[in-house]
Amino acid sequence: MAGEVLLDVRGLVHAFPLGRAGSVRALDGLSFQIERGEIYGLVGESGCGKSTAARCVMNLLRPQEGRVLFRGIDTCDPRAFRAGRRLLQRARQLIFQDSASSLDPRMRVWELIAEPLRIQRAAPPRGSFRAEAEFQMKYVGLDPGYLDKYPSELSGGQRQRVAIARALAAEPELLVADEPIAALDVSIQAQIVNLFKHLQAEHGFSFLFIAHDLAMVEFLCSRVGVMYRGRLVEEAPAGELFARPLHPYTRALVSAIPIPDPRRERARRPVEFRGGELPPGGVWTEASPRHFVLLEGREPL
Ligand SMILES: Nc1ncnc2c1ncn2[C@@H]1O[C@H](COP(=O)(O)OP(=O)(O)OP(=O)(O)O)[C@@H](O)[C@H]1O
Ligand SMILES: [Mg+2]
């Protein structure tokens, strides 16, 4: 069922200097692809490089090695980036964990939502920028009574809905969300994930969803990549990954997910992952259709 590749991330390497202590290799050969209309989940422990990957995908950071192709445009090449700038700015939108810090506190809700359209000098599809903002607000479940409020007057969940409305007003082809629910109350998290699911089904945008909460990832994503120390160790359709995790690290992650059924939860035995460095190299092996795992220097299955 392979479709058209929208985003092609190839062999990203990026190390941050750590003063005299050397450097930390945040990305160490990260590759993955996102097809049109799919929701790709990127998971892995804190510090494994997820946000660094998102910043490279959005060209907020240029990787030291590797390429990020969007619709075939080599976005890490300055000339290709400049030539495709308008398309790239409109077609890719980013939502952060903490929209309180990403939304300008001096702008009203309707101005925030309309801002991407203004920047692109796009004519508002529904007459005026305010009408457009109102439409988008209703669409993401925000009461239009908040049109003239400032971000500080909203709850965390409401602010995140503003961030989503703002991203969608640009009609993106790719939405990148870096831990978009991590800062929200548990009760609100499920609402926002449901909203994402609903919006993606309606709009059909491709979605890179970065998250810690594996239960949410299983619910929302069509395919999942598991990152460990800057690269993927496993990737599979979501159902397959959670039913048949192959890499020891993925097994440990999956075994740590609480099960809602109390009887099965009591029987759940978390698996430990010994951690540490993965041996260099490794063979990226397709164990079953679309299910890949990094085998440590062994022969392919
Ligand atoms: N600007 C920076 N300067 C120095 N080191 C950095 C910088 N950004 C990230 N790092 C380091 O790179 C590694 C990867 O960081 P990154 O933020 O991408 O991880 P993450 O997977 O997003 O973690 P989290 O789940 O906590 O958000 C970490 O070791 C981090 O300390
Ligand atoms: Mg992060």
Side-chain angles (χ1 to χ4, degrees):
M1 57 155 250
E4 182 198 343
V5 172
L6 182 67
L7 176 74
D8 188 358
V9 171
R10 291 194 197 167
L12 298 189
V13 173
H14 196 80
F16 292 105
L18 274 182
R20 267 193 291 162
S23 63
V24 50
R25 228 167 149 82
L27 298 177
D28 194 12
L30 177 70
S31 300
F32 63 95
Q33 298 184 330
I34 301 184
E35 290 163 14
R36 252 185 215 284
E38 86 168 329
I39 309 185
Y40 188 95
L42 198 56
V43 301
E45 68 192 355
S46 183
C48 72
K50 303 180 298 295
S51 296
T52 306
R55 290 173 63 205
C56 290
V57 165
M58 296 303 291
N59 302 115
L60 300 172
L61 176 72
R62 188 183 303 163
Q64 286 149 351
E65 285 175 42
R67 298 205 292 173
V68 175
L69 298 148
F70 180 82
R71 279 179 47 170
I73 302 171
D74 185 353
T75 65
C76 299
D77 174 61
R79 281 183 61 183
F81 180 81
R82 270 198 303 278
R85 182 176 214 123
R86 281 189 68 132
L87 165 87
L88 292 168
Q89 271 181 349
R90 184 196 57 74
R92 306 172 308 166
Q93 295 290 323
L94 177 62
I95 295 174
F96 294 96
Q97 168 170 339
D98 182 9
S99 45
S101 60
S102 65
L103 298 174
D104 186 335
R106 295 157 302 179
M107 288 172 78
R108 294 175 191 272
V109 163
W110 77 267
E111 295 168 318
L112 285 165
I113 295 174
E115 194 192 21
L117 291 174
R118 283 186 183 224
I119 291 173
Q120 295 155 32
R121 294 191 214 95
R126 285 157 198 92
S128 69
F129 287 117
R130 202 180 155 89
E132 183 61 27
E134 184 169 351
F135 173 85
Q136 296 294 346
M137 282 174 80
K138 287 186 191 152
Y139 206 66
V140 300
L142 259 181
D143 189 321
Y146 291 105
L147 270 169
D148 292 306
K149 301 269 188 224
Y150 292 95
S152 61
E153 298 175 277
L154 306 180
S155 71
Q158 289 169 330
R159 274 200 293 268
Q160 207 54 313
R161 286 179 199 262
V162 171
I164 295 166
R166 178 183 154 91
L168 292 183
E171 297 188 359
E173 291 169 56
L174 175 69
L175 187 63
V176 175
D178 188 0
E179 308 257 12
I181 56 170
L184 303 175
D185 289 347
V186 174
S187 60
I188 310 293
Q189 289 185 345
Q191 287 179 17
I192 298 291
V193 168
N194 271 309
L195 176 66
F196 276 133
K197 192 158 190 148
H198 163 80
L199 293 173
Q200 194 279 335
E202 290 246 319
H203 282 252
F205 52 79
S206 305
F207 193 8
L208 174 58
F209 181 76
I210 297 175
H212 263 108
D213 187 327
L214 292 184
M216 295 290 184
V217 169
E218 184 174 15
F219 169 75
L220 180 66
C221 298
S222 43
R223 226 151 45 94
V224 180
V226 180
M227 249 180 112
Y228 184 76
R229 300 214 172 178
R231 60 179 164 162
L232 288 192
V233 293
E234 189 159 359
E235 178 189 71
E240 164 78 9
L241 186 94
F242 289 98
R244 275 174 294 280
L246 295 175
H247 195 277
Y249 178 61
T250 317
R251 287 193 177 150
L253 281 184
V254 170
S255 76
I257 307 173
I259 305 171
D261 174 352
R263 268 181 50 203
R264 288 177 52 218
E265 171 64 13
R266 272 198 296 279
R268 180 170 66 85
R269 294 285 170 265
V271 183
E272 260 190 57
F273 179 58
R274 53 184 160 59
E277 296 285 338
L278 291 177
V283 186
W284 189 239
T285 306
E286 189 165 22
S288 58
R290 287 170 67 83
H291 189 163
F292 294 86
V293 61
L294 186 68
L295 294 181
E296 298 178 5
R298 276 178 268 148
E299 289 302 306
L301 287 182

